[in-house]
């Protein structure tokens, strides 16, 4: 009985740790994606007045937004019960 309680306590700790890691990754992904898509919007606004800078910001912001979205997806994968318990 005591061994089962210790094992259950360890599993609970592992789940809580994985959820904490996933939370940090989700927050980072949201921040990076928001920053990237904000830069993309600014680039779009600058296309009329300064096309070279606007085009550069569109590409950089789009790439940054995609990276942030990928970080978000990785965070969601960590938050699944199958990966949290292993």
């Amino acid at each position: 009985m005591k061994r089962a309680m210790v094992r259950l306590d360890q599993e609970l700790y592992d789940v809580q740790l994985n959820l904490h890691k996933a939370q940090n990754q989700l927050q980072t992904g949201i921040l990076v994606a928001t920053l990237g898509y904000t830069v993309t919007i600014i680039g779009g606004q600058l296309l009329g007045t300064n096309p070279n800078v606007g085009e550069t910001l569109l590409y950089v912001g789009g790439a940054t937004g995609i990276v942030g979205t990928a970080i978000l997806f990785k965070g969601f994968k960590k938050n699944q019960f199958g990966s949290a318990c292993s």
Side-chain angles (χ1 to χ4, degrees):
M1 181 70 144
K2 187 174 182 179
R3 186 178 295 156
M5 292 292 287
V6 169
R7 193 177 78 227
L8 191 58
D9 189 47
Q10 181 62 42
E11 287 179 15
L12 178 62
Y13 173 78
D14 290 342
V15 168
Q16 289 174 337
L17 180 64
N18 285 337
L19 287 174
H20 178 71
K21 287 179 184 177
Q23 178 185 9
N24 289 340
Q25 193 160 14
L26 290 171
Q27 289 173 343
T28 301
I30 290 169
L31 179 67
V32 172
T34 301
L35 178 67
Y37 294 131
T38 300
V39 171
T40 303
I41 291 168
I42 292 170
Q45 294 295 316
L46 289 177
L47 283 177
T49 58
N50 197 342
N52 291 334
V53 173
E55 185 177 348
T56 301
L57 289 177
L58 281 173
Y59 288 124
V60 170
T64 305
I66 290 170
V67 168
T69 303
I71 294 170
L72 268 170
F73 279 119
K74 284 180 82 175
F76 282 123
K77 284 184 180 181
K78 276 188 180 180
N79 204 13
Q80 293 176 352
F81 287 109
S83 355
C85 292
S86 57

